Amino acid sequence: MPAIADPNTHKRKLRSYAPPRAESPSPSPPKWKSPRPSAIASPHSAANGNEIVADENQGVLRKPDLVKSLWNLKDGEQLRVVKEALHLATAPSAVVCREEEQDMVLGFCKSCIEHEKAGSLYICGCPGTGKSLSMEKVKEALLNWAKEGGFPLPDVLSVNCTSLANTSDIFTKILGLSPSRGRRVLATPLQQLQNMYSQKSSTRNMMLIVADELDYLITRDRAVLHDLFMLTTFPFARCILIGVANAIDLADRFLPRLTSLNCKPTVVTFRAYSKDQILRILEERLNELPYTVFQRQALELCARKVAAASGDMRKALCICRSAIEMLEAEVRESVCNLNTPLEEKSSSEQNMATVSDPMKKQEFDIVRIDHMARALSKTYRSPVVDTIQSLPHHQQIILCSSMKHFCGSKKDTILGELYKSYSELCKSSLIPPTGILEFSNMCRVLNDQGLIKLGPSREDKLKRVTPKVDEADITFALQGIRFFRNCLQ
């Protein structure tokens, strides 16, 4: 709770909201008052309807219960901490929005340990949905539960299958955690494990095996993947196998024999993150920082766009880091402008800079929605868009006319018909069209760039023309151009 300022002794300070004293409660909460307009005030400061307070230390408006200050972008240490909090390699203190899936996996592992029974799980879901991170939290929770419950601690083996030189090396790693008694030296690691799990033993602990990127174990005969899951079916097996991969139907496609033997692994699906979930995860990471970095509207925009595209949380973190880089570039540009000698600036520019300096300082302290929009455009922009935007004017008109010509079910046409569409679009835009010969040469250039496909023919007018780019890429690349608006009419 901020200290209550005495208005009689601090008359020169900006008035701020102070809650009523405990000994003299007020019947109604006081309102925030400002005796004069402030240079730092914004028409959007109280857009959400919440009461706003003037922070005397930071010179910015904030909510009464918010004690965070704006970060200092020029502070290298703060910048490093912010980027580190948004880095993919930084594990959050808690994995939110995956509590249900974690409880399912943890409950399965607990049941196996309590009954000393082997079992297998298959964790699937799109990339960036928290599968690997959730498994780390499950391992930690399982070991804590076993220790508190007096159970023997299970041996834990975590393997990223992409790191294996040979797919069969996973059996060697499993064998390395198993006791040496009963091994046949001349047998393969798989045969030694099969022999071990066929004999009763009271000295073996339960073993938790987490195989990430499981689809890397798929071979032509699928033997390694099949034999790995079959280990859990041996009468004295004491292992809990958890396979993690992206493919939802991996068990059905590559392990059909397990289904016929009624030992198909239990499947737990991690669905793509929704907009609200992405926003919550971003806020959880940023709440650990002692300062405010993003406008909430900027985070909402990022969450909405990523959820609509893929629901990949890794992509959302990369976009937030990119938005910070946009802010850095803006600050550098501002510093360059401030270093410009005064004699090189007009009097109006000098007056405008003097008035807006406090506002600029505040805006440069936070990642705004326009920074996030540019970062999103940079991330989701197709390389084809850059190619289209760099084309000469008339070649862009050809692509526009082809988009209009090929709308509907029509997939190809002849060059002569496309030329008619091109000429009509030029005339509607008051642009002189080129001749048929030059038009044919421009179509060859577009064909070489992979934007359209020209079929063979002795006569140019009879060549078949087929579009090779998506209509959405043309629309995004040429939006706002006059002839493109005519094309849509």
Side-chain angles (χ1 to χ4, degrees), residues 377-390:
S377 177
K378 177 183 175 182
T379 301
Y380 288 110
R381 188 169 184 164
S382 169
V384 177
V385 172
D386 293 328
T387 302
I388 295 174
Q389 290 182 337
S390 64

PDB file of all heavy atoms in Angstrom, residues 377-390:
ATOM      1  N   SER A 377       3.325  -9.504 -38.594  1.00  0.00           N
ATOM      2  CA  SER A 377       3.425  -9.449 -40.052  1.00  0.00           C
ATOM      3  C   SER A 377       4.743 -10.041 -40.524  1.00  0.00           C
ATOM      4  O   SER A 377       4.792 -10.768 -41.522  1.00  0.00           O
ATOM      5  CB  SER A 377       3.303  -7.995 -40.516  1.00  0.00           C
ATOM      6  OG  SER A 377       3.461  -7.904 -41.915  1.00  0.00           O
ATOM      7  N   LYS A 378       5.807  -9.778 -39.780  1.00  0.00           N
ATOM      8  CA  LYS A 378       7.116 -10.319 -40.138  1.00  0.00           C
ATOM      9  C   LYS A 378       7.151 -11.839 -39.991  1.00  0.00           C
ATOM     10  O   LYS A 378       7.778 -12.540 -40.797  1.00  0.00           O
ATOM     11  CB  LYS A 378       8.182  -9.677 -39.238  1.00  0.00           C
ATOM     12  CG  LYS A 378       9.584 -10.206 -39.444  1.00  0.00           C
ATOM     13  CD  LYS A 378      10.535  -9.557 -38.464  1.00  0.00           C
ATOM     14  CE  LYS A 378      11.932 -10.173 -38.574  1.00  0.00           C
ATOM     15  NZ  LYS A 378      12.860  -9.572 -37.576  1.00  0.00           N
ATOM     16  N   THR A 379       6.467 -12.370 -38.988  1.00  0.00           N
ATOM     17  CA  THR A 379       6.514 -13.808 -38.711  1.00  0.00           C
ATOM     18  C   THR A 379       5.687 -14.616 -39.705  1.00  0.00           C
ATOM     19  O   THR A 379       6.126 -15.652 -40.206  1.00  0.00           O
ATOM     20  CB  THR A 379       6.012 -14.084 -37.286  1.00  0.00           C
ATOM     21  OG1 THR A 379       6.835 -13.371 -36.353  1.00  0.00           O
ATOM     22  CG2 THR A 379       6.056 -15.567 -36.967  1.00  0.00           C
ATOM     23  N   TYR A 380       4.477 -14.134 -39.971  1.00  0.00           N
ATOM     24  CA  TYR A 380       3.559 -14.920 -40.786  1.00  0.00           C
ATOM     25  C   TYR A 380       3.573 -14.531 -42.267  1.00  0.00           C
ATOM     26  O   TYR A 380       2.756 -15.007 -43.035  1.00  0.00           O
ATOM     27  CB  TYR A 380       2.132 -14.790 -40.244  1.00  0.00           C
ATOM     28  CG  TYR A 380       1.942 -15.527 -38.943  1.00  0.00           C
ATOM     29  CD1 TYR A 380       1.768 -14.838 -37.749  1.00  0.00           C
ATOM     30  CD2 TYR A 380       1.958 -16.911 -38.900  1.00  0.00           C
ATOM     31  CE1 TYR A 380       1.605 -15.502 -36.550  1.00  0.00           C
ATOM     32  CE2 TYR A 380       1.801 -17.590 -37.709  1.00  0.00           C
ATOM     33  CZ  TYR A 380       1.619 -16.883 -36.546  1.00  0.00           C
ATOM     34  OH  TYR A 380       1.465 -17.549 -35.365  1.00  0.00           O
ATOM     35  N   ARG A 381       4.490 -13.680 -42.628  1.00  0.00           N
ATOM     36  CA  ARG A 381       4.545 -13.231 -44.015  1.00  0.00           C
ATOM     37  C   ARG A 381       5.155 -14.312 -44.889  1.00  0.00           C
ATOM     38  O   ARG A 381       6.228 -14.845 -44.599  1.00  0.00           O
ATOM     39  CB  ARG A 381       5.378 -11.960 -44.098  1.00  0.00           C
ATOM     40  CG  ARG A 381       5.346 -11.287 -45.443  1.00  0.00           C
ATOM     41  CD  ARG A 381       5.973  -9.924 -45.317  1.00  0.00           C
ATOM     42  NE  ARG A 381       5.908  -9.175 -46.548  1.00  0.00           N
ATOM     43  CZ  ARG A 381       6.095  -7.870 -46.623  1.00  0.00           C
ATOM     44  NH1 ARG A 381       6.328  -7.198 -45.523  1.00  0.00           N
ATOM     45  NH2 ARG A 381       6.035  -7.248 -47.769  1.00  0.00           N
ATOM     46  N   SER A 382       4.495 -14.618 -46.011  1.00  0.00           N
ATOM     47  CA  SER A 382       5.001 -15.617 -46.948  1.00  0.00           C
ATOM     48  C   SER A 382       6.108 -15.017 -47.802  1.00  0.00           C
ATOM     49  O   SER A 382       6.034 -13.840 -48.188  1.00  0.00           O
ATOM     50  CB  SER A 382       3.860 -16.107 -47.845  1.00  0.00           C
ATOM     51  OG  SER A 382       4.364 -16.871 -48.917  1.00  0.00           O
ATOM     52  N   PRO A 383       7.154 -15.785 -48.154  1.00  0.00           N
ATOM     53  CA  PRO A 383       8.195 -15.266 -49.057  1.00  0.00           C
ATOM     54  C   PRO A 383       7.636 -14.847 -50.410  1.00  0.00           C
ATOM     55  O   PRO A 383       8.207 -13.982 -51.077  1.00  0.00           O
ATOM     56  CB  PRO A 383       9.157 -16.453 -49.201  1.00  0.00           C
ATOM     57  CG  PRO A 383       8.912 -17.310 -48.018  1.00  0.00           C
ATOM     58  CD  PRO A 383       7.463 -17.137 -47.678  1.00  0.00           C
ATOM     59  N   VAL A 384       6.519 -15.462 -50.796  1.00  0.00           N
ATOM     60  CA  VAL A 384       5.900 -15.102 -52.067  1.00  0.00           C
ATOM     61  C   VAL A 384       5.427 -13.649 -52.043  1.00  0.00           C
ATOM     62  O   VAL A 384       5.455 -12.950 -53.061  1.00  0.00           O
ATOM     63  CB  VAL A 384       4.728 -16.059 -52.369  1.00  0.00           C
ATOM     64  CG1 VAL A 384       4.014 -15.662 -53.657  1.00  0.00           C
ATOM     65  CG2 VAL A 384       5.221 -17.495 -52.469  1.00  0.00           C
ATOM     66  N   VAL A 385       5.008 -13.174 -50.874  1.00  0.00           N
ATOM     67  CA  VAL A 385       4.520 -11.794 -50.752  1.00  0.00           C
ATOM     68  C   VAL A 385       5.617 -10.806 -51.111  1.00  0.00           C
ATOM     69  O   VAL A 385       5.396  -9.829 -51.836  1.00  0.00           O
ATOM     70  CB  VAL A 385       3.990 -11.548 -49.330  1.00  0.00           C
ATOM     71  CG1 VAL A 385       3.653 -10.079 -49.128  1.00  0.00           C
ATOM     72  CG2 VAL A 385       2.766 -12.410 -49.060  1.00  0.00           C
ATOM     73  N   ASP A 386       6.830 -11.054 -50.606  1.00  0.00           N
ATOM     74  CA  ASP A 386       7.949 -10.163 -50.927  1.00  0.00           C
ATOM     75  C   ASP A 386       8.240 -10.165 -52.424  1.00  0.00           C
ATOM     76  O   ASP A 386       8.549  -9.123 -53.010  1.00  0.00           O
ATOM     77  CB  ASP A 386       9.200 -10.595 -50.154  1.00  0.00           C
ATOM     78  CG  ASP A 386       9.049 -10.400 -48.659  1.00  0.00           C
ATOM     79  OD1 ASP A 386       8.349  -9.449 -48.258  1.00  0.00           O
ATOM     80  OD2 ASP A 386       9.608 -11.203 -47.896  1.00  0.00           O
ATOM     81  N   THR A 387       8.147 -11.341 -53.033  1.00  0.00           N
ATOM     82  CA  THR A 387       8.394 -11.439 -54.472  1.00  0.00           C
ATOM     83  C   THR A 387       7.367 -10.632 -55.252  1.00  0.00           C
ATOM     84  O   THR A 387       7.707  -9.885 -56.176  1.00  0.00           O
ATOM     85  CB  THR A 387       8.354 -12.906 -54.925  1.00  0.00           C
ATOM     86  OG1 THR A 387       9.326 -13.655 -54.183  1.00  0.00           O
ATOM     87  CG2 THR A 387       8.653 -13.038 -56.406  1.00  0.00           C
ATOM     88  N   ILE A 388       6.093 -10.753 -54.873  1.00  0.00           N
ATOM     89  CA  ILE A 388       5.025 -10.038 -55.587  1.00  0.00           C
ATOM     90  C   ILE A 388       5.182  -8.531 -55.418  1.00  0.00           C
ATOM     91  O   ILE A 388       5.019  -7.762 -56.366  1.00  0.00           O
ATOM     92  CB  ILE A 388       3.643 -10.510 -55.086  1.00  0.00           C
ATOM     93  CG1 ILE A 388       3.425 -11.980 -55.435  1.00  0.00           C
ATOM     94  CG2 ILE A 388       2.524  -9.660 -55.677  1.00  0.00           C
ATOM     95  CD1 ILE A 388       2.156 -12.575 -54.860  1.00  0.00           C
ATOM     96  N   GLN A 389       5.522  -8.099 -54.208  1.00  0.00           N
ATOM     97  CA  GLN A 389       5.645  -6.666 -53.958  1.00  0.00           C
ATOM     98  C   GLN A 389       6.842  -6.035 -54.678  1.00  0.00           C
ATOM     99  O   GLN A 389       6.868  -4.830 -54.912  1.00  0.00           O
ATOM    100  CB  GLN A 389       5.743  -6.395 -52.455  1.00  0.00           C
ATOM    101  CG  GLN A 389       4.442  -6.663 -51.711  1.00  0.00           C
ATOM    102  CD  GLN A 389       4.533  -6.336 -50.239  1.00  0.00           C
ATOM    103  OE1 GLN A 389       5.636  -6.314 -49.680  1.00  0.00           O
ATOM    104  NE2 GLN A 389       3.398  -6.099 -49.606  1.00  0.00           N
ATOM    105  N   SER A 390       7.827  -6.861 -55.024  1.00  0.00           N
ATOM    106  CA  SER A 390       9.004  -6.341 -55.723  1.00  0.00           C
ATOM    107  C   SER A 390       8.843  -6.369 -57.246  1.00  0.00           C
ATOM    108  O   SER A 390       9.739  -5.919 -57.959  1.00  0.00           O
ATOM    109  CB  SER A 390      10.243  -7.148 -55.324  1.00  0.00           C
ATOM    110  OG  SER A 390      10.123  -8.497 -55.741  1.00  0.00           O
TER     111      SER A 390
END
